[in-house]
Amino acid sequence: MEKIKLKDFLDFKFLSGIELSPDKKHAAFAVHTCDYNENKYISNIWIYDCLSEEYRKLTNMSKEKSFIWLDNDTILFPSLREEKLKKKIDDGEHWTVFYAINIHGGEAYEYMRVPMNVNEFKLIANEKFLITAEYNHYGINLHSIKSEDKEEAMSMIKENKDYEILDEIPFWSNGEGFTNKKRSRLYLYDKGTKDIIPISGKFENVSLSSVKDGKALYTAFSFTNKMELTNELYMYDLYSENATRLIEEGEMYIEYAEFMGDEIVFAASTIDKYGINQNLNFYILKNGEPVLLAEHDYGMFNSVGSDCRYGEGAGHRVLNDELYFISTENKSSFIKKLSLDGKIERITYDNGSVDCFDICNEGILFIGLRGTKLQEIYLYRNNLETQKTKFNEDIAEIKNVIKPEPLSFENDGIKIEGWVLKPADFDENKCYPGILDIHGGPKTVYGEIYYHEMQLWANEGYFVFFCNPRGSDGRGDEFADIRGKYGTIDYNDLMMFTDTVLKKYPQIDPCRIGVTGGSYGGFMTNWIIGHTDRFKCAVSQRSISNWLSKFGTTDIGYYFNSDQIQSTPWNNPEKMWFHSPLKYADKAVTPTLFIHSEEDYRCWLSEGLQMFTALKYHGVDARLCMFRGENHELSRSGKPKHRVKRLEEITNWFEKYLQ
């Protein structure tokens, strides 16, 4: 077997967005690959024939990753193929061009072009589409400007690029840049007349949930000064041309809503007991009021971590008046089913990760990771899972993928689950270095699926160990609730886990252990180096160092910090400082590499800079590698060359201090 190399992920195939045709005979999905030389991702739509079980590439322009079915034989997708239009967009115009293609053959043809940046699009009636698109209150929305005024408007657009106006929070968003008074607004687009009719208000941030029989459900955050944590639920009726508010702002946070038979069911949280990380429950609308339908004390998403995904897909579907959804329990994500009587039943049972799925009476097609394999398409039918594609089969066949060994322990009477990757060609008579890897979130989980960076380090001769401390997902609200406790019980879990690993695997040299993590894992890495000198080196990625500064500079700081640290800079600054790793930086002696992205507005660059400066000031070896043009998602969806450089920096740092 060949050892896994750092750049192997450049050859991986990432799958997303599986969607069955209306007649359920075919499924479309996107396949993404890295183009290292061009430093970008190549994306194309593929077709899976449910009868023959064959699959083939449908598009070839390498830019198609989102789509809808127009009918049983036709797919609609946005793409930018015209050079003249590319120039207009570069100059500041907004256009989204949609192409249609028959899945049985023929070239794609232009179907419609919308003079807006379209985010979501759904067919609601013949040649009528619901779209969400960017609306800029302080900007110039060209689609509403007369042609004779367009030249002047274009000049103003160029001039406005030199400054930003801020008069609300959040004023920027990770992956989106400055968002002040910019909204994802809901419109009705008529292909025949080319009319664009706004449905939602100017200050409503909309997410489109469900469309059925000329009606649509959507959620909206409405704000002009400060976005609150609760949103509104609306139903739009195409035929009456009215949008009716079903749930008012201030009652709950609503993740999504679906039509189930004649009922409206939605996943929501009252955020009253466990704060913003409180698990969602299911509600039904009765006489205009939300009524609890089913409690669900597990994550209602796939939160199983991996650095081998790109793109997204549906995490819930409705079939025969039943709602199917992805849920995380312990180390895995599964598909469950909700009935209108409030009963929740788990459908799939195999461990691993379900990333997205679609469903019909014949079974469930899903994209997932099973065992230590990379993403493939699976069919679940008659209580049996069958792999249907072999996009990444050669990786599992020729590469030395190491299976994680489970290792659990108890702390404060609570079981903590973890895993260990032994070094490649492990010899029990040899001594090895080790790496503790800490997940982000904190409300996510590690599982037993493929994680490239960890597999790389194990193949380079390291023990790699990782666990799900308190604060993680999959174990219910109480387990995930570490509000006001950051750096205390979770730190104890991680240190006891390290002790447990060292005891079980005496081949690990306790003087050659490193630690790394990103986001919350970066916070914990910063915390660890200020509270112990047991680690020979550390790598802190997209981290948090100062809860006081993060409160006022990041896209979620004003509500995440106050909720998770249970304080603000005004009502209890001492508590925010107590939980800030920067407070303890003068105690740190561990050589630390910091990885940060210039456009990471979730854990802003200033967080890494403060900790880096503190270590340098106190004479500790430190290095910071900053990536321009990247955000909080660098390790998962950053540009291919940047992902390679990031992993090289980390691996070289470990080699310098641990080998």
Side-chain angles (χ1 to χ4, degrees):
M1 301 288 280
E2 297 179 9
K3 285 188 176 181
I4 291 172
K5 302 297 184 183
L6 188 148
K7 290 186 178 181
D8 280 348
F9 79 90
L10 298 172
D11 298 323
F12 296 169
K13 306 295 190 301
F14 308 111
L15 314 182
S16 68
I18 194 162
E19 186 92 18
L20 284 162
S21 58
D23 62 6
K24 312 300 182 184
K25 293 182 179 179
H26 296 87
F29 58 98
V31 178
H32 318 272
T33 55
C34 296
D35 185 333
Y36 182 76
N37 292 328
E38 295 295 324
N39 203 22
K40 64 181 183 180
Y41 292 90
I42 292 173
S43 302
N44 286 293
I45 300 171
W46 286 59
I47 293 295
Y48 173 83
D49 188 314
C50 297
L51 182 61
S52 69
E53 300 185 348
E54 296 177 346
Y55 49 99
R56 56 185 168 81
K57 185 161 67 171
L58 181 65
T59 64
N60 293 285
M61 294 298 289
S62 302
K63 303 173 183 177
E64 295 80 38
K65 57 184 178 181
S66 60
F67 59 88
I68 62 171
W69 288 89
L70 282 179
D71 54 44
N72 293 328
D73 304 308
T74 312
I75 283 176
L76 182 72
F77 60 91
S79 186
L80 187 57
R81 300 184 170 191
E82 185 181 313
E83 290 298 327
K84 184 177 179 181
L85 192 59
K86 291 179 185 177
K87 177 65 168 57
K88 289 183 178 181
I89 292 174
D90 290 340
D91 289 340
E93 294 191 34
H94 295 163
W95 288 98
T96 305
V97 183
F98 291 87
Y99 292 83
I101 187 170
N102 189 290
I103 64 171
H104 302 295
E107 295 294 323
Y109 58 92
E110 184 174 323
Y111 182 82
M112 64 184 185
R113 57 174 61 191
V114 182
M116 310 176 83
N117 284 335
V118 176
N119 301 318
E120 300 172 282
F121 55 104
K122 290 182 183 290
L123 182 67
I124 191 171
N126 184 37
E127 295 196 333
K128 288 184 171 62
F129 297 83
L130 287 179
I131 62 173
T132 60
E134 180 183 298
Y135 170 82
N136 187 349
H137 179 69
Y138 286 142
I140 297 171
N141 300 281
L142 288 173
H143 72 275
S144 60
I145 292 177
K146 296 179 181 178
S147 56
E148 59 266 25
D149 299 325
K150 194 170 183 180
E151 185 175 344
E152 181 181 354
M154 291 297 298
S155 297
M156 292 181 66
I157 286 175
K158 291 179 181 179
E159 182 179 338
N160 290 346
K161 287 183 178 180
D162 290 339
Y163 57 88
E164 295 285 346
I165 295 172
L166 307 181
D167 61 4
E168 67 181 16
I169 54 175
F171 47 81
W172 57 15
S173 177
N174 184 67
E176 299 179 33
F178 283 94
T179 57
N180 193 87
K181 289 297 189 292
K182 295 178 182 178
R183 301 292 186 264
S184 181
R185 196 174 181 186
L186 184 63
Y187 299 87
L188 176 68
Y189 180 76
D190 190 313
K191 177 180 180 292
T193 64
K194 296 182 172 58
D195 289 337
I196 302 173
I197 302 169
I199 295 172
S200 61
K202 294 180 179 180
F203 301 113
E204 293 176 359
N205 235 357
V206 166
S207 180
L208 189 56
S209 276
S210 181
V211 174
K212 180 182 178 182
D213 299 333
K215 296 181 179 180
L217 297 171
Y218 65 93
T219 59
F221 285 94
S222 181
F223 64 101
T224 56
N225 291 302
K226 183 178 75 169
M227 187 187 77
E228 302 295 344
L229 300 182
T230 57
N231 54 358
E232 301 167 314
L233 177 63
Y234 287 85
M235 182 173 69
Y236 171 73
D237 189 319
L238 173 67
Y239 304 107
S240 68
E241 299 182 346
N242 289 323
T244 304
R245 184 165 56 191
L246 305 177
I247 304 292
E248 294 189 6
E249 186 269 335
E251 294 190 31
M252 54 181 57
Y253 166 71
I254 304 165
E255 178 66 27
Y256 62 83
E258 287 286 353
F259 295 105
M260 290 176 61
D262 297 326
E263 306 292 348
I264 294 174
V265 174
F266 51 99
S269 169
T270 53
I271 59 176
D272 57 344
K273 188 174 181 182
Y274 294 101
I276 61 174
N277 280 339
Q278 185 169 317
N279 283 319
L280 304 171
N281 290 322
F282 289 108
Y283 294 82
I284 193 167
L285 204 63
K286 291 291 186 183
N287 299 319
E289 297 293 330
V291 176
L292 181 65
L293 176 64
E295 292 183 341
H296 186 258
D297 194 25
Y298 292 101
M300 214 174 288
F301 312 96
N302 173 30
S303 61
V304 183
S306 175
D307 53 0
C308 292
R309 300 186 184 101
Y310 187 83
E312 299 177 343
H316 60 276
R317 303 278 189 180
V318 173
L319 177 69
N320 299 330
D321 299 338
E322 293 176 315
L323 174 65
Y324 294 76
F325 63 97
I326 296 175
S327 173
T328 298
E329 287 190 26
N330 295 312
K331 61 186 177 183
S332 299
S333 56
F334 307 95
I335 298 175
K336 298 181 180 179
K337 178 178 70 175
L338 169 72
S339 305
L340 282 172
D341 60 5
K343 180 182 177 182
I344 295 177
E345 175 187 356
R346 190 200 288 187
I347 302 300
T348 63
Y349 281 87
D350 286 4
N351 288 319
S353 166
V354 177
D355 297 341
C356 58
F357 73 98
D358 204 350
I359 187 168
C360 64
N361 289 323
E362 300 303 314
I364 300 173
L365 271 177
F366 69 89
I367 294 170
L369 294 104
R370 289 296 187 244
T372 52
K373 290 185 176 182
L374 292 161
Q375 283 182 317
E376 300 290 355
I377 292 178
Y378 295 83
L379 173 65
Y380 176 83
R381 181 167 55 192
N382 298 328
N383 299 319
L384 181 67
E385 288 185 6
T386 308
Q387 183 179 329
K388 294 300 178 182
T389 60
K390 293 185 177 181
F391 284 100
N392 294 295
E393 197 68 15
D394 56 333
I395 305 298
E397 290 178 351
I398 67 175
K399 292 292 182 178
N400 184 28
V401 181
I402 298 171
K403 184 178 180 180
E405 297 183 359
L407 179 62
S408 62
F409 65 99
E410 282 197 3
N411 190 13
D412 296 332
I414 298 172
K415 182 180 178 181
I416 305 296
E417 286 188 301
W419 296 268
V420 176
L421 296 179
K422 287 181 179 177
D425 303 322
F426 171 69
D427 183 342
E428 64 179 13
N429 296 312
K430 289 185 177 181
C431 188
Y432 297 91
I435 299 171
L436 169 65
D437 205 332
I438 307 169
H439 68 60
K443 199 183 176 187
T444 63
V445 296
Y446 277 141
E448 298 176 352
I449 62 177
Y450 187 96
Y451 216 110
H452 183 64
E453 65 180 35
M454 293 197 236
Q455 289 288 338
L456 167 67
W457 298 330
N459 273 264
E460 290 290 319
Y462 297 89
F463 271 91
V464 184
F465 46 101
F466 48 100
C467 72
N468 293 325
R470 279 172 285 185
S472 302
D473 199 7
R475 300 273 298 274
D477 279 322
E478 288 191 17
F479 186 86
D481 185 20
I482 58 170
R483 292 173 301 162
K485 301 173 184 176
Y486 276 55
T488 60
I489 59 174
D490 46 354
Y491 171 72
N492 291 336
D493 288 346
L494 289 163
M495 293 304 98
M496 186 173 289
F497 174 61
T498 302
D499 293 337
T500 305
V501 171
L502 292 177
K503 184 177 180 180
K504 181 170 182 179
Y505 298 94
Q507 296 85 4
I508 302 175
D509 184 350
C511 296
R512 289 191 295 151
I513 306 174
V515 58
T516 187
S519 195
Y520 164 78
F523 157 81
M524 187 52 67
T525 300
N526 290 344
W527 183 271
I528 284 171
I529 64 175
H531 286 79
T532 180
D533 62 357
R534 71 184 302 174
F535 294 94
K536 186 72 177 294
C537 69
V539 181
S540 172
Q541 307 171 59
R542 57 188 189 278
S543 68
I544 301 164
S545 64
N546 185 348
W547 293 106
L548 290 154
S549 61
K550 184 179 183 297
F551 183 97
T553 57
T554 68
D555 59 352
I556 65 173
Y558 72 93
Y559 63 84
F560 183 88
N561 292 22
S562 57
D563 178 79
Q564 292 295 289
I565 306 303
Q566 296 285 278
S567 58
T568 72
W570 303 278
N571 67 15
N572 197 343
E574 294 81 10
K575 183 168 180 58
M576 297 200 92
W577 185 236
F578 172 83
H579 292 283
S580 296
L582 190 63
K583 177 182 179 181
Y584 312 96
D586 61 331
K587 307 295 192 302
V589 295
T590 307
T592 303
L593 168 67
F594 295 90
I595 302 288
H596 229 102
S597 298
E598 189 176 32
E599 298 173 15
D600 184 345
Y601 303 136
R602 186 64 38 83
C603 296
W604 197 31
L605 175 61
S606 65
E607 296 299 303
L609 289 174
Q610 290 178 81
M611 200 72 185
F612 166 77
T613 299
L615 265 59
K616 282 293 186 182
Y617 181 80
H618 290 99
V620 180
D621 189 14
R623 174 183 173 92
L624 189 146
C625 181
M626 185 200 72
F627 292 83
R628 290 194 171 91
E630 296 292 354
N631 58 53
H632 199 65
E633 302 304 309
L634 167 64
S635 65
R636 296 174 284 248
S637 59
K639 297 180 181 67
K641 287 185 178 180
H642 295 172
R643 290 179 66 180
V644 168
K645 175 65 174 175
R646 166 196 166 270
L647 197 45
E648 284 178 343
E649 284 281 333
I650 298 172
T651 305
N652 291 342
W653 191 259
F654 285 143
E655 183 176 354
K656 176 181 178 181
Y657 284 99
L658 302 182
Q659 291 287 11

